[in-house]
Amino acid sequence: MSSDSVHESPELSGPRVLVGVDGSEDGLRAVRYGARAARLGRATLHLVHAVDDAVMAGAWGVVYDPSALQEAGEHANQAARAAALEAGLDAQQVHDEVVLGNAAAVLARLSEGADLLVTGRRSVSGLERMFIGSTSVALADAAQCPLVVISAAATPGATGGQNHIAVGIDAESHSLNTLGWALSEAEARGARLTVAHVSRQEGRAGEVDEVARRAIDELLEPLRVSHPLVDVQVQVSHGNPVDELVDLSGQVDLLVLGVQRPKLLGIHLGGVMRAVLAHAQSPVALVK
């Protein structure tokens, strides 16, 4: 079972899309999304199945056979590789490996130097939505590159048919990286971009809207120059950010959100972000 750093593999130089593989339909959905991203960016697709060493010790004293876990991981990777090839990648573009360690920790480490990390999110209902994929939540903080979270249940078909991306921002300076990434993604896809800002403030809506639009226009001004071909529209609305963003996600191929880098160790993802991840009707990209 491999535990080598990805940087020691000469096959993985150049652009790279990293995908977490777990053998589930959501995992395969992530593979298909990652394969299209790799094809679009002429990148290597790096498929990784992580075997948690804590699982090998087992619960209640049960010890799992490492070779059986290795075999299960290789089987999952074979299915993932087949899905990637079906999505149009050449065999030499696809690299897969089974790595020992906690999935979130492994993917976070391997995300260093990657252009994109893609992971699945299993669709749940009711109170279970409060506990959405711990791996996805952990990676939202720990990933060292943009992260796309996708659910097979929420988006069962191929994405890209609406030719439309949205980015939710708060109109402050730290939104600049998020805006820049969203514009680059829209440009690569030939898609239009909606820049959405949701205000909770009530009363004097016109004045609030004008202030928000001016702030967004200032952020967009240099980016429009570097991405002149992207059709950009600004949308300012009022209400609950979760409701507004989830509704918007049903109209686009990808919803892009900014995540501030945590100042302290531990989970930093806020309630709004968690709720949007749990209910989104499209893949969600998290950009620091």
Side-chain angles (χ1 to χ4, degrees), residues 59-273:
W60 297 288
V62 178
V63 178
Y64 291 88
D65 181 359
S67 62
L69 295 175
Q70 169 81 18
E71 184 177 350
E74 291 175 351
H75 180 74
N77 278 352
Q78 287 173 5
R81 172 179 279 272
L85 297 181
E86 288 177 5
L89 289 187
D90 295 330
Q92 61 267 27
Q93 282 182 271
V94 184
H95 176 89
D96 65 89
E97 60 181 316
V98 179
V99 181
L100 180 64
N102 172 270
V106 166
L107 292 172
R109 174 174 61 85
L110 296 181
S111 69
E112 182 180 359
D115 295 88
L116 184 69
L117 168 59
V118 187
T119 184
R121 172 185 65 79
R122 296 184 182 181
S123 181
V124 293
S125 60
L127 291 177
E128 287 178 303
R129 289 186 183 272
M130 296 174 63
F131 306 101
I132 57 166
S134 57
T135 297
S136 299
V137 172
L139 286 171
D141 273 342
Q144 300 178 63
C145 67
L147 166 70
V148 168
V149 181
I150 187 168
S151 165
T155 53
T159 62
Q162 302 189 72
N163 206 36
H164 187 189
I165 292 174
V167 54
I169 65 169
D170 59 11
E172 296 184 11
S173 59
H174 61 249
S175 297
L176 195 58
N177 286 341
T178 309
L179 271 174
W181 191 90
L183 274 160
S184 295
E185 185 71 9
E187 184 175 59
R189 296 183 181 208
R192 71 185 191 279
L193 177 69
T194 293
V195 179
H197 172 76
V198 183
S199 173
R200 293 178 181 267
Q201 297 186 40
E202 297 181 0
R204 303 190 343 186
E207 181 179 338
V208 171
D209 287 359
E210 183 59 29
V211 170
R213 286 183 182 278
R214 282 202 303 267
I216 292 171
D217 284 339
E218 288 180 8
L219 290 174
L220 279 172
E221 186 175 0
L223 296 173
R224 288 182 188 272
V225 174
S226 55
H227 301 84
L229 300 181
V230 180
D231 177 12
V232 181
Q233 298 178 345
V234 176
Q235 174 181 306
V236 177
S237 59
H238 301 266
N240 184 299
V242 174
D243 293 340
E244 295 291 328
L245 291 172
V246 169
D247 181 65
L248 181 59
S249 73
Q251 307 168 39
V252 299
D253 302 303
L254 179 68
L255 175 63
V256 183
L257 300 175
V259 180
Q260 295 187 55
R261 295 185 181 277
K263 297 179 180 179
L264 300 173
L265 294 177
I267 298 301
H268 179 73
L269 204 62
V272 170
M273 198 78 70

Side-chain angles (χ1 to χ4, degrees), residues 30-79:
V31 170
R32 297 184 188 103
Y33 186 100
R36 288 193 295 275
R39 191 177 63 215
L40 189 64
R42 298 181 181 179
T44 297
L45 184 67
H46 184 195
L47 306 173
V48 175
H49 179 92
V51 175
D52 197 333
D53 45 2
V55 172
M56 294 175 64
W60 297 288
V62 178
V63 178
Y64 291 88
D65 181 359
S67 62
L69 295 175
Q70 169 81 18
E71 184 177 350
E74 291 175 351
H75 180 74
N77 278 352
Q78 287 173 5

